[in-house]
Amino acid sequence: MAGAVNALAASAFFLNNSAHASRAALLLRTWFVDADTRMRPSARFAQVIPGVGHGQGLIDFSDGADPGGGGNYDTSISLAHLLDSVRLLEWAAPAAWAAPDRAALDAWVREWHGWILTDSAAQASAAAKNNIGDWYDSLAASAAYFVGNQSTVQAVCDAAPARRIAEQVTADGSLPAEDARTKSESYHAFAMVALLDLAWLCRTAAPTAPDLFEYETADGRSLRGVVEWMLPLASGRLPWTAGAQVRPFDPTVFSKVYRTAALGWPHSRRRFGAVAARQPGARASRQNLLRPFPTGVR
């Protein structure tokens, strides 16, 4: 659903396709608005294990590609980016997605936002010191931004340097909590998507918070370090040796990672942009539209 809405809204925005706008609006109403079909604004039972429960099901609302190798990162969209797609649809087709639709979706996101901040299962995700915690921050801040809760956006962004960089990143740029997984390369890249998305949102929506693109601890831990550490692997110069990878790795994720990195560090735009362009399917990647470089910059 999220991937379809993302594609249809982009078509409405870039190509003025009214049929695609109407279909995107129908999908959104079905999932979030209509009483007979709408999803409950909660992830309490996501990934549930009967009789045990599960405290980290919020991850199901991240980019939908399986970090183990299933799906396609270019077309997998998190709830955060789904909300961005709604903005595109509003601008492109106000007749298809009108004020009552926006009000109904706002109400859903407010309930969802409240669940994220208060539910014990969501807070278990917040406490995680790996990609699950990174995605919690991205999802919590994006929902808060969508409904205008600036205090939550600010709180998440203020805490991120200590919670996500100082605690998770080593001085050489690796992510030990991800390297220990059986699909370590996939999870390393998965965490990078969340951290870069969070950095971009914080730079945009919480300008008084530390800039996560530029933040560095006294002993050299930084988001830039993670991106540089992964660069030889994303460039194909070195094989993955940091941990196990029991399923095939999907390199299309690097189009998303390094295109965002190129925007986050403009002085490295050419170098990071070249890595993004080298990935499979990069010339036709949706990221070229959704993460555009400034006019005249390649």
Side-chain angles (χ1 to χ4, degrees), residues 17-157:
N17 189 315
S18 59
H20 288 181
S22 296
R23 182 65 181 179
L26 174 63
L27 290 174
L28 289 167
R29 291 189 197 102
T30 301
W31 275 83
F32 300 110
V33 178
D34 292 347
D36 291 340
T37 57
R38 71 192 288 267
M39 177 186 169
R40 186 186 302 274
S42 157
R44 169 164 284 278
F45 300 108
Q47 298 193 11
V48 71
I49 303 170
V52 179
H54 200 297
Q56 299 176 341
L58 189 70
I59 198 71
D60 281 354
F61 292 81
S62 64
D63 280 9
D66 175 6
N72 184 312
Y73 271 103
D74 189 50
T75 57
S76 298
I77 306 299
S78 72
L79 180 59
H81 288 291
L82 174 68
L83 297 178
D84 288 344
S85 299
V86 173
R87 296 293 198 211
L88 287 182
L89 185 63
E90 288 174 351
W91 294 332
W97 186 253
D101 298 311
R102 169 63 191 271
L105 181 59
D106 270 6
W108 190 96
V109 176
R110 287 183 190 280
E111 285 191 61
W112 165 258
H113 176 248
W115 179 86
I116 285 178
L117 296 183
T118 60
D119 187 86
S120 59
Q123 290 308 298
S125 292
K129 297 180 180 180
N130 61 0
N131 68 83
I132 292 171
D134 303 334
W135 279 108
Y136 173 89
D137 280 2
S138 176
L139 292 166
S142 62
Y145 184 53
F146 188 81
V147 298
N149 188 329
Q150 182 62 31
S151 62
T152 295
V153 177
Q154 191 70 45
V156 170
C157 295

Side-chain angles (χ1 to χ4, degrees), residues 96-293:
W97 186 253
D101 298 311
R102 169 63 191 271
L105 181 59
D106 270 6
W108 190 96
V109 176
R110 287 183 190 280
E111 285 191 61
W112 165 258
H113 176 248
W115 179 86
I116 285 178
L117 296 183
T118 60
D119 187 86
S120 59
Q123 290 308 298
S125 292
K129 297 180 180 180
N130 61 0
N131 68 83
I132 292 171
D134 303 334
W135 279 108
Y136 173 89
D137 280 2
S138 176
L139 292 166
S142 62
Y145 184 53
F146 188 81
V147 298
N149 188 329
Q150 182 62 31
S151 62
T152 295
V153 177
Q154 191 70 45
V156 170
C157 295
D158 283 342
R163 292 177 66 183
R164 305 306 174 201
I165 295 177
E167 288 197 20
Q168 294 178 215
V169 181
T170 63
D172 70 359
S174 65
L175 299 172
E178 313 306 339
D179 295 339
R181 304 292 292 267
T182 59
K183 301 177 286 286
S184 57
E185 185 176 14
S186 297
Y187 276 101
H188 199 108
F190 190 52
M192 291 172 72
V193 173
L195 289 169
L196 287 166
D197 278 356
L198 179 63
W200 190 257
L201 177 60
C202 290
R203 178 181 278 183
T204 303
T208 62
D211 188 343
L212 296 182
F213 285 106
E214 303 300 334
Y215 175 80
E216 184 174 332
T217 66
D219 61 350
R221 301 165 189 255
S222 68
L223 181 56
R224 176 64 181 257
V226 180
V227 172
E228 294 286 0
W229 186 82
M230 204 70 169
L231 192 64
L233 302 148
S235 301
R237 300 197 304 270
L238 292 176
W240 181 258
T241 59
Q245 180 67 31
V246 299
R247 295 183 188 173
F249 176 69
D250 176 11
T252 61
V253 66
F254 288 134
S255 290
K256 186 176 293 186
V257 166
Y258 282 94
R259 201 164 180 94
T260 308
L263 292 167
W265 292 284
H267 52 286
S268 297
R269 181 166 292 150
R270 186 177 298 276
R271 187 161 67 99
F272 291 156
V275 175
R278 194 175 297 135
Q279 306 309 315
R283 292 189 65 182
S285 172
R286 201 177 292 177
Q287 307 310 314
N288 301 333
L289 293 174
L290 302 178
R291 290 170 165 83
F293 292 156

